Amino acid sequence: MTKYEKHGALHVNNKGKLVDHNNEIVVLHGLSTHGLAWYPQYINRDFFEQMSEEWKVDVIRLAMYTAEKDGYCEGDDENKNKLIELIDKGVRYATELGLYVIIDWHILLDSNPLIHKDEAIKFFELMAKKYHAYGNVFYEICNEPNVDCTWADIKEYAQEVIPVIRKYDEYAVILCGTPRWSQDVDEALADPITIDKNLMYVLHFYADTHKDELRKKFEDAANNGLPLFITEFGCCNANGNLDNNFAESDKWIELADRYNVGYIMWNISNRDETSASFIPECDKTKKFVKEDMRDACRWFIDVLKDHA
Ligand code: IDC
């Protein structure tokens, strides 16, 4: 039985934990796609089934870039429709297989979510209209605000996007990125968003770059009841490449587990980079075996199995 089959729709309780209707804590673990436009081939049912049944993934994050490479806000309507269809497929397979699924508005090059706020509002209105009856869908409204984007900017954006989602979808959990590539959860803690209770704040780490200093921020926020979700992490450098650091990765896993915070690994692709799940020579899209995988993917499957 999958976690979704067991626990159904989740919400954030008054202690900042993700819980089911019995107030039982539910911690989700899974994988993130690379950009949907970059690697659409991995959105297939057989692979989702393997992730669920063999790898013990509970949640899949559908990362849709807004700016980079056929990003949602850069391309034409045809491109938009292609991306919407991919999300639809991803949500459908996840639902059929009893998985939770995150629809991720993946800002990055467009460092401030206010840049594409109007597009985001239209997008999330459409998503919420489509998926409001699904208990397994989460909305991640801005991946990683960065450079000079402030918490005030993010808050302004969130306060406009959240009510649009809530107009159609009363219950889904909403995930909100934080400043400096989703690290500065201390700023969210100091000045939280108060218009919605079913909201979690996003922290991302790349274990060979982000160490004790970021773990301290995580811990302070968690100890103060801030709802946290690690919707993206890597074992390597923050550029998604260079060396893995499994000793630091283990410290992060231990910490997240201690606070019952879920985590999702970047990325499902065979791109020539350390954070990719599969080696570049592997052009399969399903039925993966150990030899197809990079080190971090193998490491994470062991983590997932330990947690299942
Ligand atoms: C990276 C991809 C890489 C791509 C790049 C685009 O791994 O293939 O060329 O984005 O700019 C993040 C981002 C995530 C990054 C990842 C690694 O959310 O989009 O993916 N990363 O750099 N935050 C920290 C690291």
Side-chain angles (χ1 to χ4, degrees), residues 1-6 44-53 57-60 89-100 136:
M1 197 189 242
T2 65
K3 280 199 186 142
Y4 179 60
E5 284 159 356
K6 184 160 178 228
N44 70 76
R45 199 181 187 283
D46 288 343
F47 176 44
F48 277 33
E49 191 170 336
Q50 180 177 24
M51 282 196 277
S52 173
E53 289 179 7
V57 155
D58 318 305
V59 57
I60 293 171
K89 262 169 84 177
V91 171
R92 180 155 28 100
Y93 301 146
T95 307
E96 286 169 8
L97 294 161
L99 296 169
Y100 294 94
N136 60 332

Side-chain angles (χ1 to χ4, degrees), residues 193-219:
I193 295 165
T194 53
I195 59 162
D196 202 275
K197 288 199 158 54
N198 222 9
L199 178 73
M200 305 186 91
Y201 299 88
V202 166
L203 180 139
H204 289 169
F205 72 83
Y206 281 75
D208 200 37
T209 304
H210 309 119
K211 302 179 181 173
D212 286 340
E213 199 188 321
L214 187 58
R215 281 194 287 268
K216 169 107 182 27
K217 270 190 195 200
F218 172 101
E219 228 177 328

Side-chain angles (χ1 to χ4, degrees), residues 154-224:
I154 300 167
K155 206 172 163 183
E156 181 186 334
Y157 166 82
Q159 284 171 341
E160 288 199 52
V161 173
I162 292 169
V164 175
I165 295 176
R166 287 293 177 241
K167 197 166 152 199
Y168 302 97
D169 192 332
E170 236 180 298
Y171 301 111
V173 175
I174 296 175
L175 304 160
C176 185
T178 52
R180 273 210 315 134
W181 294 273
S182 285
Q183 296 180 74
D184 289 348
V185 289
D186 51 325
E187 296 194 26
L189 176 67
D191 180 22
I193 295 165
T194 53
I195 59 162
D196 202 275
K197 288 199 158 54
N198 222 9
L199 178 73
M200 305 186 91
Y201 299 88
V202 166
L203 180 139
H204 289 169
F205 72 83
Y206 281 75
D208 200 37
T209 304
H210 309 119
K211 302 179 181 173
D212 286 340
E213 199 188 321
L214 187 58
R215 281 194 287 268
K216 169 107 182 27
K217 270 190 195 200
F218 172 101
E219 228 177 328
D220 285 347
N223 281 332
N224 283 289

Side-chain angles (χ1 to χ4, degrees), residues 34 38-39 61 65 68 106-109 143-144 181 204 206 210 232 237-241 266-267 269 271 273 275:
H34 195 290
W38 312 43
Y39 294 99
R61 179 182 189 237
Y65 280 87
E68 284 91 330
H106 202 84
I107 66 159
L108 190 61
L109 192 64
N143 167 49
E144 290 186 357
W181 294 273
H204 289 169
Y206 281 75
H210 309 119
E232 188 186 301
N237 186 278
N239 66 6
N241 222 333
W266 182 260
N267 71 71
S269 79
R271 193 162 170 83
E273 60 183 7
S275 59

